[in-house]
């Protein structure tokens, strides 16, 4: 099923992953695009948390609402799901959930402020999540988040300066992260990192 939200076609359910025999996914109705969970029963299918619940703006005297956290790139590590989401303040950042409303929180505010770091392509290697994320000083580059101690860092400014390196196509192999990136000299090539 498809519906038109904000003038664009959107899937009702996307970004599925599992944790402890429970399915986690992004789902939208007319007003929300939020994180949901299901154990396969009707009563066990519900929104985990309304992450973005009170964002409004006024245009031509009308109050408008954008109450969609847009969770995407869900990955499971142990008893937590990590994902990109948009909270009530700031921009898209790295979030996590243990499956409960109170346990659904921002994991890292990589680029504080209105725009956020907009993390993409979350990929787990050992206890580190790698992602493409944006900062105002380096553009979109390879970043990492250590799950065991909740620290985050830019792995490398591959395309030096504020230019974007186009990090994408990330995958884990033999405890290394492999990905595509452009350093501004060699074009888009295969890279690897140990973090």
């Amino acid at each position: 099923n498809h519906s038109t939200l904000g003038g664009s076609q959107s899937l009702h359910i996307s970004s599925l992953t599992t944790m402890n025999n429970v399915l986690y996914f992004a789902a939208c109705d007319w007003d929300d695009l939020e994180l949901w969970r299901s154990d396969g029963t009707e009563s066990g299918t519900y929104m985990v948390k309304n992450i973005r619940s009170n964002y409004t703006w006024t245009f031509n005297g009308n109050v408008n609402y954008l109450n969609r956290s847009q969770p995407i790139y869900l990955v499971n590590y142990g008893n937590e799901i990590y994902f990109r989401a948009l909270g009530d303040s700031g921009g898209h950042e790295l979030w996590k959930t243990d499956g409960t409303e109170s346990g659904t929180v921002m994991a890292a505010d990589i680029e504080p402020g209105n725009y956020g770091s907009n993390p993409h392509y979350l990929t787990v290697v050992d206890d580190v999540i790698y992602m493409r994320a944006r900062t105002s000083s380096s553009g979109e580059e390879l970043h990492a988040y250590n799950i065991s101690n909740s620290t985050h860092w830019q792995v490398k400014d591959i395309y030096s300066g504020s230019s974007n390196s186009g990090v994408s196509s990330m995958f884990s192999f033999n405890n290394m992260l492999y990905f595509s990136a452009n350093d501004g000299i060699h074009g888009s090539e295969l890279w690897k990192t140990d973090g």
Side-chain angles (χ1 to χ4, degrees):
N1 289 336
H2 290 78
S3 69
T4 302
L5 290 174
S8 63
Q9 291 288 325
S10 300
L11 286 174
H12 278 286
I13 297 173
S14 61
S15 300
L16 289 78
T17 193
T18 59
M19 177 178 69
N20 300 327
N21 296 319
V22 174
L23 181 66
Y24 291 82
F25 55 95
C28 64
D29 57 23
W30 183 250
D31 294 319
D32 295 311
L33 173 52
E34 294 292 346
L35 181 67
W36 285 65
R37 60 177 284 167
S38 178
D39 63 5
T41 67
E42 185 174 356
S43 62
T45 302
Y46 53 89
M47 184 187 299
V48 176
K49 182 175 184 174
N50 193 0
I51 295 170
R52 188 173 176 92
S53 60
N54 65 9
Y55 184 82
T56 62
W57 79 96
T58 303
F59 181 73
N60 287 341
N62 296 318
V63 176
N64 299 282
Y65 301 89
L66 182 57
N67 295 331
R68 296 190 287 267
S69 69
Q70 307 163 31
I72 195 170
Y73 306 116
L74 279 66
V75 295
N76 172 232
Y77 181 85
N79 293 313
E80 293 178 315
I81 301 283
Y82 289 81
F83 56 98
R84 182 191 84 180
L86 181 61
D88 280 331
S89 62
H92 289 90
E93 288 293 353
L94 181 65
W95 283 68
K96 66 179 180 178
T97 185
D98 62 4
T100 67
E101 183 176 10
S102 62
T104 304
V105 297
M106 185 185 296
D109 193 1
I110 297 168
E111 176 73 4
N114 291 334
Y115 297 106
S117 65
N118 198 22
H120 279 64
Y121 314 123
L122 277 61
T123 305
V124 179
V125 181
D126 294 328
D127 61 351
V128 175
I129 296 175
Y130 292 94
M131 69 200 95
R132 182 178 83 192
R134 185 197 70 80
T135 63
S136 54
S137 59
S138 299
E140 292 181 347
E141 294 292 346
L142 183 65
H143 286 252
Y145 174 84
N146 189 312
I147 296 167
S148 63
N149 62 21
S150 302
T151 59
H152 62 87
W153 66 97
Q154 180 177 291
V155 177
K156 184 178 180 77
D157 188 0
I158 296 169
Y159 197 134
S160 185
S162 61
S163 297
N164 302 328
S165 65
V167 170
S168 63
S169 304
M170 299 165 64
F171 65 94
S172 171
F173 181 70
N174 283 348
N175 301 319
M176 297 284 285
L177 178 77
Y178 291 82
F179 59 98
S180 171
N182 180 354
D183 62 4
I185 300 168
H186 301 99
S188 185
E189 293 289 353
L190 180 64
W191 287 66
K192 71 176 182 176
T193 186
D194 60 4

